[in-house]
Amino acid sequence: MKKTVKNRTDRKTYRRLAIGFCLFGVMAAVIIGRLARYQLKEYETYQSLVLDQLTTETTVNPKRGKIFDTNGIVLATNKTVYNVIISPHDIIKLNKEIQEKNSDDNKENDIHFDWTSEDGSVSYKGDLANEFIATFLSEILDVDYDMIIKKASLENRRYEVIKQNVEDDVNSLIRDIVAENKLGDQIYDIASSKRYYPYDTLASHTIGFTNSDGAGIYGLEAYYNNVLEGKSGKYIKAQDAKNNDMPFSFESYIGEENGYNIVTTIDKTIQSALENQLEMTYNDSMAGNRVTGIVMDVETGGILAMATYPSFDLNSPYTLDADSQAELDEYTKGSDEYKSKHSELLFTMWKNKAITELYEPGSTFKIITTSMALEERVITFDTPFTCTGSLKVEGFAKPISCHLHSGHGTLPYRRGLQQSCNPALMQVAALVGKSKFYNYFESYGYTSTTGIDLPGETRGLYSSIADFSNVSLAVYSFGQTFKTTPIQQLTAISSVAGGGYYKTPHLIKEIVDDDGNVIKSFETDVKRQIVSSDVCSEISEVLEEGVAGDGGAKNAYVKGYRVAAKTGTSEKRDKVDENGEKSFRVGSTVAYAPYDSAKVSGIIVVDEPMNGAVYGSVVAAPYISNLFSEILPYIGLERQYTEADMETLDISVGNYVGESPSSAKAALAEEGLGCEIIGDGDTVTSQFPEAGSTMIKENGRVLLYCGEGADHMSVTVPDLMNKTADAANKILLNSGLNVRISGATNGSSATVISQSVEPGATVEKGTVVEIELRHLDMTD
């Protein structure tokens, strides 16, 4: 019986032990499985968690890509600057060491600080490192002293930024003081990169700028930010919770990838020429709402220049231009109104007017209407139209006026376009019809954006096809009541200039790496052909005739070149003046050259001219002329002068001093110039105008002074303002003065708008007076 009981007890014990061993085995298996999982499958995850607690990461910023013009000139690059940093841990440690030495009478105290600023206004002499550091850094870096003191008191901190983007010369001064006072552990710098624009304001609205973090926020800098910015690297190092290096070695470096460079289609020379002309028309016209302009490569759609004036400094983008600052100064500084106005003026200054602001294109759109009619063969340039000064359109209460209220009479359409006759255009549009007109309107891009590679392009304002009435057809025909952007308008005009092909405008030619390898090229993007090349050729010929003759765009004439151009003026219907009148206008001019094989096209838009003249033919066309006279020879097009051009060509006066009067006279005659010999000496001792002076050949005379007794003579400059070129030339000739002519030398109606020497001034006889001519007898 006892044995039976014992056996039962043993079995129970064995069973319990077995169960215990099984449970232990299961638990061991779970633990081993978990360990295996942690060691094998999730090793990297948990290693990362551990390292996150033991390591510090320092971001290594890549170099932002450069921006080049089409010829490889750097427009945006990077400049090495420095972040000045203090180590509070080491400052506190140094202070303790100084205190210990000062309290040890047996040791000579050789640690102290003695510094005075260059102008002597700030100084420090003492033994507290934090105060010394705060004193000289606050003075040199122009930062707050108390801020440095506060940061220097943060225990167990080794990295506190005092100032970012410190220029090299300032940083060098700090380094000298640090070295002299053995503060290398307490103060150090880290090289960084700052965006730098070598030409300050050049193409500011197009290039754009970056924010404090180095990211592009405007212009090309923003649009191509992902191309330019590159990828950051990392430097990982093991440290304990007090930022001390760990007793084992762990370092890892993940290299940064520099951004790619972009080569633009912008040509710095053409960009500068455009900006000069915009500044001139802005000042001359006293434009109330800025001016803008674009130059385009007709063959590719590449933007050679794009600008808005006033511009701003890309290296200091938060500094207002002079006119904006003057407007801000009218508000009380620090007030809510001041702050609000400051923000408004900044954002307005940054806006690229060429792509973001809408305007009615006015008569420049007549080129587009004409192309529709010729393509549909509803007219020829010989088709007659009658203008009585206005035209009654079904659905509109009053007759719609022509700019020439007395009317143009009956004239062939060729003359109607050159004279910018509104009734002729309205009749032409009626022949095209609403449906076809609207289809062409869409094809020319007016119902969409152009797709230019810049942020913020604005879509135009226009009627839907459902709301497109007979009145809409009539007023659209001459560019009124719908709105577009300058880039849309020039793209459409360039389609006509380029044989009817619509091309996407663009600003980038290539993306390249630092070794010059091309990562991506941007080819010409031809979207469609809208009208035939023959139609475009006909239009270009008629436009050029108008510029060279007596058309509305004759102020766009360029001596030696055949330019096609059209001017326009539109009313700002959504803005009234202080009297409640809609008096504000927008004057503009579009042009391209050569007219029969266009290489470049251009547009200038003057918003709210306030200095008398408001017409595009006056406030924009002369500046298009100046612009083209500079850029056409630059791109390699040779001048071909007409006989009329030859009469006003400049000639450079040679040097005749030292020659005999007879040989000097003969040499001048060979150049086509007359002379007047003064004195009876046998050698020319002086001359006027001096050698190198320029004047027109016709009626030009050089005074040759011979002998010591030959006295120079003086004359009074006459008033030439508002005189024609012929009249001014005769007056100057009779006064014993020479002339040089700039501006509109085509036609006989141009008058003097400026003279280089003030009327009534006393000058030497033979002085060259430059006069500028302009046609003022047109409207558009």
Side-chain angles (χ1 to χ4, degrees):
M1 185 70 180
K2 289 182 180 179
K3 186 176 181 179
T4 302
V5 172
K6 182 180 180 182
N7 290 339
R8 289 177 179 173
T9 302
D10 290 342
R11 283 197 297 271
K12 288 181 179 178
T13 300
Y14 292 148
R15 193 162 44 244
R16 287 172 180 168
L17 287 172
I19 292 171
F21 277 121
C22 288
L23 290 173
F24 179 79
V26 170
M27 291 174 64
V30 170
I31 292 171
I32 292 170
R34 287 289 180 93
L35 288 172
R37 176 183 168 193
Y38 295 150
Q39 288 293 320
L40 300 175
K41 187 175 180 180
E42 298 185 10
Y43 170 79
E44 293 182 357
T45 300
Y46 285 94
Q47 183 194 46
S48 176
L49 291 173
V50 172
L51 289 176
D52 282 346
Q53 298 179 45
L54 296 175
T55 61
T56 59
E57 281 188 8
T58 301
T59 299
V60 181
N61 293 322
K63 289 183 179 179
R64 189 172 178 85
K66 297 177 181 179
I67 299 177
F68 297 95
D69 91 331
T70 192
N71 298 310
I73 298 173
V74 176
L75 301 178
T77 186
N78 306 300
K79 187 178 184 180
T80 300
V81 290
Y82 299 87
N83 297 336
V84 175
I85 300 160
I86 63 171
S87 173
H89 171 85
D90 290 292
I91 293 174
I92 293 170
K93 181 180 177 182
L94 178 60
N95 272 342
K96 289 180 179 178
E97 291 175 359
I98 294 173
Q99 289 174 4
E100 290 175 0
K101 290 189 177 184
N102 286 343
S103 63
D104 189 346
D105 295 333
N106 297 322
K107 291 184 179 180
E108 183 181 351
N109 178 18
D110 60 354
I111 298 178
H112 65 274
F113 306 107
D114 188 354
W115 176 82
T116 303
S117 61
E118 287 186 1
D119 61 3
S121 61
V122 178
S123 63
Y124 179 85
K125 190 171 185 178
D127 295 319
L128 293 177
N130 58 329
E131 291 184 358
F132 171 58
I133 290 170
T135 299
F136 83 81
L137 285 184
S138 62
E139 172 67 15
I140 294 173
L141 296 177
D142 191 25
V143 294
D144 184 57
Y145 174 91
D146 292 333
M147 177 271 290
I148 301 175
I149 290 292
K150 183 176 181 181
K151 286 191 173 186
S153 68
L154 299 174
E155 293 189 29
N156 299 320
R157 296 283 296 171
R158 296 176 185 266
Y159 184 93
E160 288 294 327
V161 177
I162 300 303
K163 189 169 185 178
Q164 295 178 319
N165 298 329
V166 177
E167 299 290 342
D168 182 64
D169 57 340
V170 176
N171 192 62
S172 294
L173 180 59
I174 293 172
R175 282 184 177 181
D176 290 343
I177 298 173
V178 168
E180 182 181 346
N181 291 276
K182 301 177 182 179
L183 294 172
D185 292 335
Q186 290 74 29
I187 305 172
Y188 59 100
D189 59 64
I190 295 178
S192 181
S193 183
K194 175 185 177 183
R195 205 58 166 161
Y196 176 64
Y197 305 91
Y199 299 100
D200 297 325
T201 61
L202 186 80
S204 56
H205 295 90
T206 305
I207 296 172
F209 57 94
T210 60
N211 61 17
S212 58
D213 295 324
I217 55 175
Y218 274 91
L220 291 172
E221 291 276 28
Y223 193 90
Y224 287 101
N225 186 62
N226 62 334
V227 174
L228 293 163
E229 65 179 352
K231 294 182 180 179
S232 297
K234 293 180 182 179
Y235 180 71
I236 305 171
K237 188 176 182 180
Q239 290 183 324
D240 63 17
K242 295 185 177 182
N243 294 323
N244 295 311
D245 291 345
M246 298 291 285
F248 57 87
S249 176
F250 178 84
E251 290 186 4
S252 178
Y253 174 68
I254 302 172
E256 73 277 15
E257 296 178 19
N258 290 337
Y260 289 127
N261 307 309
I262 58 176
V263 181
T264 70
T265 57
I266 295 171
D267 188 301
K268 176 183 172 292
T269 299
I270 297 176
Q271 180 73 30
S272 297
L274 173 63
E275 293 187 9
N276 289 339
Q277 293 307 314
L278 292 182
E279 182 178 3
M280 286 179 63
T281 188
Y282 176 82
N283 291 326
D284 292 347
S285 66
M286 297 175 62
N289 194 30
R290 305 194 297 167
V291 299
T292 190
I294 310 167
V295 180
M296 184 183 292
D297 183 327
V298 172
E299 296 176 338
T300 67
I303 302 300
L304 301 174
M306 176 184 284
T308 297
Y309 191 86
S311 55
F312 61 94
D313 187 349
L314 289 171
N315 292 308
S316 182
Y318 294 90
T319 301
L320 292 171
D321 64 85
D323 289 348
S324 298
Q325 185 61 51
E327 187 174 349
L328 180 64
D329 289 342
E330 297 178 4
Y331 294 78
T332 302
K333 193 170 185 178
S335 65
D336 290 341
E337 292 83 0
Y338 181 95
K339 295 175 183 177
S340 176
K341 190 64 177 178
H342 183 254
S343 296
E344 175 192 329
L345 290 169
L346 271 180
F347 284 112
T348 299
M349 181 181 73
W350 293 335
K351 284 176 66 178
N352 186 342
K353 192 177 182 72
I355 68 166
T356 64
E357 294 188 16
L358 300 173
Y359 78 112
E360 295 184 14
S363 293
T364 62
F365 186 80
K366 292 173 181 177
I367 296 173
I368 305 302
T369 302
T370 300
S371 73
M372 305 176 190
L374 292 175
E375 184 70 15
E376 293 299 320
R377 299 183 180 180
V378 295
I379 63 162
T380 71
F381 274 117
D382 294 324
T383 302
F385 290 92
T386 299
C387 169
T388 61
S390 63
L391 184 69
K392 184 71 173 69
V393 176
E394 181 182 353
F396 199 67
K398 298 187 298 182
I400 299 175
S401 298
C402 183
H403 67 88
L404 186 64
H405 296 301
S406 61
H408 289 96
T410 300
L411 70 174
Y413 185 67
R414 173 187 305 269
R415 292 287 294 159
L417 178 61
Q418 292 171 349
Q419 296 298 316
S420 204
C421 176
N422 289 348
L425 268 294
M426 288 188 277
Q427 294 172 70
V428 166
L431 293 173
V432 174
K434 287 191 296 182
S435 178
K436 288 183 178 178
F437 185 100
Y438 203 89
N439 288 339
Y440 279 107
F441 188 77
E442 288 182 319
S443 293
Y444 273 113
Y446 289 101
T447 60
S448 61
T449 57
T450 66
I452 189 172
D453 44 348
L454 281 175
E457 183 184 5
T458 302
R459 185 185 296 268
L461 290 177
Y462 51 89
S463 297
S464 66
I465 184 62
D467 297 327
F468 196 68
S469 65
N470 289 330
V471 176
S472 300
L473 177 65
V475 292
Y476 273 42
S477 72
F478 54 87
Q480 303 278 8
T481 73
F482 71 90
K483 289 187 175 184
T484 186
T485 58
I487 187 60
Q488 281 182 313
Q489 185 64 5
L490 185 61
T491 303
I493 297 301
S494 296
S495 300
V496 176
Y501 293 94
Y502 185 96
K503 305 179 183 81
T504 302
H506 62 279
L507 279 151
I508 299 301
K509 184 168 70 173
E510 292 174 337
I511 297 174
V512 300
D513 64 18
D514 287 335
D515 295 323
N517 300 310
V518 177
I519 306 302
K520 184 177 180 180
S521 294
F522 294 79
E523 305 297 333
T524 301
D525 181 22
V526 180
K527 291 294 187 183
R528 54 191 169 271
Q529 185 172 17
I530 306 169
V531 295
S532 71
S533 297
D534 289 341
V535 163
C536 296
S537 296
E538 286 187 73
I539 295 172
S540 299
E541 182 178 343
V542 169
L543 292 175
E544 190 279 331
E545 287 178 359
V547 171
D550 64 346
K554 55 192 174 183
N555 273 329
Y557 181 77
V558 181
K559 194 183 299 184
Y561 295 103
R562 302 185 71 178
V563 176
K566 187 75 186 75
T567 62
T569 308
S570 58
E571 178 184 12
K572 298 187 77 167
R573 305 171 193 278
D574 51 1
K575 184 175 182 179
V576 297
D577 60 23
E578 57 188 8
N579 299 317
E581 301 291 332
K582 296 179 179 179
S583 62
F584 297 107
R585 299 290 185 270
V586 178
S588 64
T589 297
V590 295
Y592 53 91
Y595 83 100
D596 55 352
S597 56
K599 297 294 185 290
V600 294
S601 60
I603 186 171
I604 287 180
V605 179
V606 182
D607 199 345
E608 298 180 13
M610 305 295 287
N611 193 24
V614 298
Y615 296 110
S617 56
V618 177
V619 300
Y623 306 92
I624 280 281
S625 172
N626 294 342
L627 176 64
F628 274 35
S629 66
E630 186 170 348
I631 67 175
L632 293 178
Y634 169 73
I635 63 173
L637 299 176
E638 293 186 6
R639 295 181 186 267
Q640 297 179 340
Y641 295 108
T642 65
E643 290 185 8
D645 289 337
M646 297 294 289
E647 294 178 359
T648 58
L649 284 183
D650 291 338
I651 186 171
S652 179
V653 177
N655 184 9
Y656 305 103
V657 175
E659 296 186 19
S660 66
S662 59
S663 63
K665 182 177 181 180
L668 283 164
E670 190 172 339
E671 293 289 340
L673 294 172
C675 72
E676 181 178 348
I677 298 174
I678 303 168
D680 54 6
D682 55 6
T683 302
V684 177
T685 55
S686 64
Q687 67 178 70
F688 208 81
E690 296 176 344
S693 302
T694 55
M695 59 186 179
I696 66 169
K697 182 185 296 187
E698 186 179 16
N699 299 323
R701 299 177 69 81
V702 177
L703 278 67
L704 302 175
Y705 294 92
C706 304
E708 295 182 0
D711 295 329
H712 289 230
M713 295 177 284
S714 298
V715 295
T716 300
V717 177
D719 185 356
L720 307 171
M721 297 298 291
N722 302 316
K723 302 289 193 299
T724 65
D726 286 343
N729 201 359
K730 289 178 182 177
I731 293 171
L732 289 172
L733 177 64
N734 293 334
S735 300
L737 297 166
N738 288 296
V739 65
R740 187 181 181 206
I741 300 176
S742 63
T745 58
N746 56 323
S748 58
S749 63
T751 55
V752 177
I753 64 164
S754 69
Q755 60 185 88
S756 61
V757 185
E758 290 291 325
T762 301
V763 297
E764 189 166 345
K765 187 177 181 180
T767 293
V768 179
V769 177
E770 182 175 350
I771 58 174
E772 182 181 1
L773 301 174
R774 187 168 297 176
H775 297 285
L776 300 174
D777 58 339
M778 313 95 69
T779 59
D780 45 46

